[in-house]
Amino acid sequence: MSNEPEPVALKGQGVVTLPTTGTVAVVLERLLGVLNARGVKVFDVIDHSGEAARVGERLPDTKLVLFGNPSAGTALMQTAPLVALDLPLKILIWERDHQAFVSYNEPVHLAERYELPTEQVAVLSGVDVLAHAIDHPDRS
């Protein structure tokens, strides 16, 4: 057992963290499959751990997936231009002690931060559905 502290959900700080099954690579593949199946545009996958290795550093397997719907995102930015700081939506896939986790910005937190109208919160809430679909793509 590691002496490192357990992952913190950061509740109250606007971040949701969920344990998931499989390695980071497997979770990444499943997330990309879910996004593709739902017609969600993937803007980029940032390999934080790979970049750390390139500069001689070590970082547990860590990938950041940037995705979204350009039409829906544009509407959000027209309402609140600063929301562009948090768009496109993103899911972090990371590992600690051979356990993979997914983390993402809590949609309600983002909506409150940018004072988005209620009808636009649903656009951001899609990240909840996608994160849960990683382990259960047929249920979400």
Side-chain angles (χ1 to χ4, degrees), residues 10-32:
L10 301 175
K11 188 168 184 152
Q13 296 182 34
V15 176
V16 175
T17 297
L18 304 169
T20 190
T21 58
T23 63
V24 168
V26 167
V27 174
L28 175 61
E29 185 177 323
R30 286 196 315 251
L31 174 59
L32 293 175

Side-chain angles (χ1 to χ4, degrees), residues 48-62 95 98:
H48 287 302
S49 49
E51 291 302 316
R54 283 180 9 102
V55 297
E57 297 292 334
R58 298 191 65 192
L59 183 68
D61 203 359
T62 306
E95 177 194 297
H98 308 290

